């Protein structure tokens, strides 16, 4: 939803919520909170503020405010950020957190006091402990790239903290991961491998989550008056759904879909959203160096494998033909950010290390 809102704003979120309502399983959506996430540093396609949040809180299918990622403005008391959270609480919905900082001192305490009720950005044991001690729910994530369950689950298995304060989740699960390895079932298997009791792990992705988002009157347990969202499995430790019942009907059995999926037609504004000022050329990605000399010291973004944080690296790089180039031998790749919303801004260029590219190739995404 946050990425959709970055491009289309409120109408994009509404399109997503409406489609979610038509799925054979329950899909709830959190309203994006920070578009742009860092005002003044980005060129977004839209803006979200208290007015848009207030509108979205009236919709069926919205269960909270998602990813309050502008944590500096929260602990500094920014009016718009606090108002978005206040509106969410006034509608009795949950404020999702996103505190991507290792500083667990006064800024973190101020952020929690601002209203965020959970956080999935923890990467080490101390992160999980401090979040639950401050009254948050610690969300331990296991996505395609962010593998943060093993490093934090010791808060339960070693320190004995109450597992009812923890939630298992994914974050950025790629299509290949979903298809070949699974979604939340993959997270569950991994959590059990880290030493969690299977029933505890299942709690952390069913009743804990349902209660946290105010949905326990509808889902989260097998009981009268709840939706029949039920999985039948033979082996809890090697968790694989043999039968899937959703919204009261069998939708999958032995890996085969038993229902017809809804067919969605999208408006042209949703399928043609990349707008460039002109076609890009090789010269647009040239990093020129002014001045004399054979080498220059360059700032490089350092990727940390399987985690969201990055490192600040510096490399001495050779100047060739008045420019800097990617250096495969030292795992230094060129990175470019292209403004694609209105075709009004340029291209930001830099270098990144950690992708391990070993040939002439490139990756592009929107």
């Amino acid at each position: 939803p946050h990425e959709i809102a970055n491009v289309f704003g409120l109408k994009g979120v509404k399109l997503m919520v409406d489609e979610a309502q038509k799925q054979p399983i329950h899909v709830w959506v959190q309203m994006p909170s920070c578009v742009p996430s860092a005002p003044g540093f980005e060129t977004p396609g839209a803006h979200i503020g208290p007015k848009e949040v207030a509108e979205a809180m009236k919709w069926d299918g919205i269960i909270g405010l998602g990813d309050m990622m502008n944590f500096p403005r929260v602990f500094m008391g920014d009016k718009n950020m606090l108002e978005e959270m206040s509106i969410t609480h006034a509608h009795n919905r949950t404020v999702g957190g996103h505190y991507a900082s290792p500083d667990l001192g006064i800024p973190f305490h101020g952020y929690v006091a601002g209203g965020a009720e959970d956080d999935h950005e923890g990467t080490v044991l101390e992160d999980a402990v401090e979040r639950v001690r401050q009254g948050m729910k610690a969300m331990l994530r296991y996505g395609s790239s962010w593998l943060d369950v093993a490093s934090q689950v010791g808060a339960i298995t070693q320190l004995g903290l109450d597992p009812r304060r923890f939630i298992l989740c994914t974050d950025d699960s790629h299509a290949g991961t979903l298809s070949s390895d699974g979604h939340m079932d993959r997270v569950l298997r991994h959590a059990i491998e880290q030493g969690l009791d299977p029933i505890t792990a299942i709690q952390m992705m069913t009743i804990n989550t349902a209660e946290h988002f105010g949905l326990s009157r509808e889902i989260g347990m097998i009981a009268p008056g709840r939706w029949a969202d039920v999985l039948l499995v033979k082996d809890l430790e090697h968790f694989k759904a043999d039968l899937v019942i959703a919204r009261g009907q069998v939708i999958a059995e032995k890996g085969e879909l038993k229902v017809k999926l809804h067919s969605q037609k999208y408006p042209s504004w949703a399928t043609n959203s990349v707008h460039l000022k002109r076609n890009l050329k090789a010269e647009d990605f040239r990093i020129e160096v002014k001045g004399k000399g054979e080498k220059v010291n360059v700032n490089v973004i350092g990727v940390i494998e399987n985690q969201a944080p990055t490192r600040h690296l510096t490399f001495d790089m050779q100047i060739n033909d008045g420019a800097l180039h990617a250096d495969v031998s030292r795992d230094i790749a060129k990175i470019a950010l292209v403004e694609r919303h209105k075709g009004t801004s340029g291209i930001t260029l830099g270098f990144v290390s950690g992708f391990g590219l070993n040939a002439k190739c490139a990756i592009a995404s929107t």
Side-chain angles (χ1 to χ4, degrees), residues 289-331:
V289 180
K290 295 180 180 179
K292 297 180 180 180
E294 295 182 354
K295 292 184 178 181
V296 63
N297 192 253
V298 178
N299 292 311
V300 176
I301 300 168
V303 173
I304 300 176
E305 185 72 16
N306 296 327
Q307 288 197 346
T310 56
R311 293 178 294 158
H312 177 196
L313 305 177
T314 59
F315 285 89
D316 286 330
M317 295 186 66
Q318 193 78 30
I319 301 172
N320 291 315
D321 191 28
L324 297 175
H325 304 273
D327 187 344
V328 173
S329 66
R330 292 195 290 169
D331 190 19

Side-chain angles (χ1 to χ4, degrees), residues 124-138 140 152-167 196-197 200 203-204 208:
V124 297
L125 181 64
E126 186 184 11
D127 289 337
V129 171
E130 289 304 312
R131 279 156 175 77
V132 298
R133 283 182 174 167
Q134 293 299 326
M136 302 178 93
K137 297 281 175 57
L140 311 185
Q152 299 182 89
V153 75
I156 301 168
T157 58
Q158 298 170 30
L159 303 182
L161 273 63
D162 187 352
R164 295 284 267 134
R165 303 297 304 174
F166 293 80
I167 290 172
L196 273 179
D197 176 79
T200 299
Q203 274 188 333
M204 288 167 60
N208 290 12

